[in-house]
Amino acid sequence: MMARLLYIGLAAAAIVAPLAASCQTPSADSTLRAGVRVRAVRVRGSDVTGALVSIDDRGVVIRSPSGRSDTLPTATVGELWRSRGAGLCSPNRRVGCVIAGLVIGTAGGAGTGAAIGRAAARRDRANNNCHDGICEIHKLEGLIFGGVVGGLTGLFIGASVGGEHWERLASPVPRVGFVPARGGGFTLAWSRSF
């Protein structure tokens, strides 16, 4: 019963975490001024990040940290993001996140491994297969294996998360495309995100 609840909890966390991470809403205040750090996501090509120089109907001008200015035609910019500042796990603070990931991952993995080992021990006890202390060894194996796997996973996650916080702004260019129609077929649609 305990293992089943644990599996249900892990499945729910696996579903909810990505959904919560993807629920960033666009900003209602989309005013920009020169000098604000922005990231322009191009329709084709690489992203451009730097300080905003200007934005108008013709394009977005961004100055990179090296001092070079890039002029992006409005039609090539798919999304525009404004920096909200360094996050808790920005490059200057990465060590704390790596340690936290290692500790949390090890604790979570050891707990999960112990629960799975305990379920295996119960199964062996029910089948009268507990000779030479094998049931206690199952618990210990689960604890150690789960702790190692959880610790490595937490270490990886702690090293790769975080960075700068970004806020999506209104798209500088409207989108035109085909969308499925109710009665079948496709409809030509025009949209602009806010």
Side-chain angles (χ1 to χ4, degrees), residues 131-151:
H131 53 17
D132 298 329
I134 193 75
C135 290
E136 300 307 316
I137 292 175
H138 282 320
K139 292 179 187 177
L140 185 62
E141 286 172 340
L143 181 77
I144 292 172
F145 182 73
V148 169
V149 170

Side-chain angles (χ1 to χ4, degrees), residues 74-162:
T74 305
T76 65
V77 178
E79 294 178 351
L80 193 61
W81 295 76
R82 172 179 38 197
S83 174
R84 301 302 282 166
L88 181 64
C89 294
S90 63
N92 298 345
R93 305 176 194 162
R94 180 76 57 203
V95 173
C97 290
V98 171
I99 293 170
L102 178 65
V103 170
I104 293 169
T106 302
T112 304
I116 292 170
R118 187 172 179 183
R122 274 197 200 136
R123 182 198 64 215
D124 284 349
R125 276 196 195 99
N127 294 333
N128 292 323
N129 282 343
C130 281
H131 53 17
D132 298 329
I134 193 75
C135 290
E136 300 307 316
I137 292 175
H138 282 320
K139 292 179 187 177
L140 185 62
E141 286 172 340
L143 181 77
I144 292 172
F145 182 73
V148 169
V149 170
L152 291 175
T153 303
L155 186 71
F156 175 75
I157 291 172
S160 60
V161 300

Side-chain angles (χ1 to χ4, degrees), residues 18 21 29 34 46 56 58 62-63 79 97 115 125 130 143 147 193:
D29 175 24
S46 60
D56 56 26
R58 292 174 306 202
I62 298 174
R63 183 176 303 115
E79 294 178 351
C97 290
R125 276 196 195 99
C130 281
L143 181 77
S193 62

